[in-house]
Amino acid sequence: MTVPSPPSPAPVPLPGARHGRDPDRAIKRGPRRVPAEEVAATQRDRLFDGLVREVATRGYDNARVSDICHAAGVTRPAFYALFSGKQDAFLAAYRHGIAVVSQLMEDAYRDAGPAWPEAARAALRTLLDVLASVPAFARMALVEVDAAGPDARRERDALLRSFRRFFAGAGPDPADVDRDALLSTVVGGIHATIRERVAQGRAEELPLLLPALTYAATAPFLGPREAGRVARADRADDGPATTAPCAPCAPGQP
């Protein structure tokens, strides 16, 4: 007798990938009372979507709590029951979204196989594809994070340091080069290039950066010839693009 496999868990949506006021996300009224924790979780997710979209559209400084609540279809008292203020909500949405993106990158890195160059390229491709699929989150996380205060910037800096884990299999360093300084330069350069494109309102073009960023990530460890080979790999051989969970549910994002 074959035992059926357990169902896969539902994908965790990226903040900003859905409309907070989508009628399908409204808390259903009826004779059965919805548990308070379920209500709070639904309101939290809708506020994440409302915050990301408002911050991407208006900028962090100009996005008011009332704007976020209106975009989410959630009352101000409900907002303040979950967050102490706009910065607290921003940090929660940022952490949640970065965890989603990081998990998708780690899955791609692992599934690409044992060869580090291909695994690194797969992680980069996933990052670019996911950010391109939810431009609002890309702008919030890469551009507006600079305006959200020192705590947000520390979160961003810690994230960039964490990306060094994708270079664990890169092999030996070039002779007489400080590895920490090299990785800081590579990761920082990749981040700056992606951020610039997002700040220009061109997040949908991010996948086009894959060859250049792959070359920048691998050349210090592989040399120019092998890095060029990995960078020139045909995207069609990688399969379909990786979109953020629920991104197709959100057409016309800001």
Side-chain angles (χ1 to χ4, degrees):
M1 179 177 177
T2 302
V3 178
S5 300
S8 299
V12 179
L14 188 65
R18 300 176 292 175
H19 287 286
R21 297 180 69 91
D22 186 338
D24 291 340
R25 303 176 69 191
I27 298 171
K28 303 298 187 291
R29 300 181 183 277
R32 296 183 61 185
R33 183 177 179 84
V34 179
E37 58 271 18
E38 183 178 334
V39 172
T42 299
Q43 292 175 331
R44 175 178 172 271
D45 286 346
R46 287 165 58 181
L47 284 165
F48 281 171
D49 290 318
L51 181 146
V52 167
R53 287 166 172 267
E54 288 300 305
V55 167
T57 301
R58 301 173 185 266
Y60 177 81
D61 291 333
N62 295 323
R64 303 170 299 178
V65 168
S66 57
D67 299 323
I68 295 166
C69 290
H70 181 266
V74 174
T75 65
R76 284 175 65 92
F79 176 93
Y80 284 107
L82 293 166
F83 308 111
S84 62
K86 181 174 73 172
Q87 186 182 59
D88 184 36
F90 182 98
L91 287 171
Y94 179 85
R95 290 169 184 147
H96 180 74
I98 290 302
V100 172
V101 175
S102 295
Q103 186 61 60
L104 292 170
M105 291 177 66
E106 288 171 4
D107 291 345
Y109 186 88
R110 180 194 63 241
D111 294 344
W116 175 75
E118 284 71 24
R121 182 178 181 277
L124 263 175
R125 182 195 184 221
T126 296
L127 173 64
L128 297 173
D129 286 348
V130 169
L131 292 178
S133 72
V134 188
F137 180 79
R139 185 166 190 90
M140 173 261 197
L142 276 83
V143 179
E144 296 302 328
V145 66
D146 291 330
D151 288 343
R153 292 191 289 273
R154 279 193 289 271
E155 293 271 348
R156 186 266 322 282
D157 293 343
L159 170 67
L160 295 182
R161 288 192 295 272
S162 77
F163 281 155
R164 297 182 184 191
R165 68 189 186 277
F166 293 112
F167 292 84
D173 303 326
D176 301 322
V177 171
D178 182 283
R179 185 177 183 86
D180 285 341
L182 176 62
L183 292 181
S184 292
T185 301
V186 172
V187 172
I190 290 171
H191 171 263
T193 302
I194 296 173
R195 184 192 183 282
E196 179 183 35
R197 195 63 58 98
V198 173
Q200 294 169 347
R202 300 163 63 192
E204 71 281 357
E205 299 177 8
L206 289 177
L208 300 177
L209 296 175
L210 181 60
L213 297 187
T214 298
Y215 185 88
T218 59
F221 305 97
L222 304 179
R225 177 173 296 182
E226 180 63 11
R229 179 194 67 78
V230 178
R232 289 191 300 270
D234 191 344
R235 279 182 61 96
D237 295 336
D238 298 332
T242 303
T243 59
C246 287
C249 305
Q253 297 184 66

